[in-house]
Amino acid sequence: MPLVRISLMQTTAHRAQEIGRCVYDAMRETIGIPEGDNFQVINHCGVGELVYDPTFLGIERTNEFMIIEITLGRGRETAVKQALFARITELLEARCQVRPDDVMIGLNEVGLDDMSLGQGRAQFVENPPARLLSLSDNGSS
C-alpha cells in the first residue's frame, strides 16, 4: 500500500528508475511490503524547484539532494522506521552513488480507511490483509 513520491534534480530515466527500485527494495526488506506493491511518482525538478538548505543540522547537501516521501499504513515501531531510513540510504549509496547526506525521507502514516487502490473503494477496509490487521490490533490502523 505504500505510495512513494521522489523529488530530485533532473536525471536520466534509467537512474530515476534505479533510485525508485532502491526505495522499493528497502521497503520489501524492512517493512515487509508484498511483491508488486510498488506505486511511485518520480518528480524531476529544474533549477529553483527543489528548495533545501545545504547545511541545515550540519548535513552537507549537494545538488544531488532528493526528497523521498512515503505514505504508508500507520503502526510501525520507531526501530522499524529507522531501519527503513538506513536501508534506503544504504541501497542508494551502493547502487546509485547517492551520498547519504543528500537523502531526506519523510513518512506519512495513514489509517486503513485513508487509501483507495482503485475503483473508488477502500480495499483495506473491505478486506484487510492479515499483516495490517495485526497492526490495527495493537491500537494502530
Side-chain angles (χ1 to χ4, degrees), residues 27-28 35 37 60 63-65 90 95 100 121 127:
M27 290 189 306
R28 296 260 307 131
E35 180 69 35
D37 192 355
E60 299 294 324
N63 62 357
E64 296 291 317
F65 176 73
E90 288 167 4
R95 294 185 194 169
R121 298 178 16 241
N127 188 22

Side-chain angles (χ1 to χ4, degrees), residues 5-21:
R5 181 176 304 277
I6 302 169
S7 299
L8 65 159
M9 298 304 284
Q10 294 290 337
T11 189
T12 66
H14 175 75
R15 179 172 167 77
Q17 289 172 356
E18 185 57 29
I19 289 169
R21 185 65 190 194

Side-chain angles (χ1 to χ4, degrees), residues 9 48 74 108 136:
M9 298 304 284
R74 188 178 305 126
N108 303 304
S136 61

Side-chain angles (χ1 to χ4, degrees), residues 1 71-75 108-115 141:
M1 149 180 160
T71 301
L72 72 167
R74 188 178 305 126
N108 303 304
E109 294 183 297
V110 299
L112 297 178
D113 57 347
D114 294 321
M115 176 103 35
S141 47

Side-chain angles (χ1 to χ4, degrees), residues 53-71:
D53 186 296
T55 60
F56 184 69
L57 291 179
I59 299 169
E60 299 294 324
R61 296 170 189 87
T62 71
N63 62 357
E64 296 291 317
F65 176 73
M66 65 183 66
I67 298 173
I68 301 168
E69 300 171 82
I70 304 172
T71 301

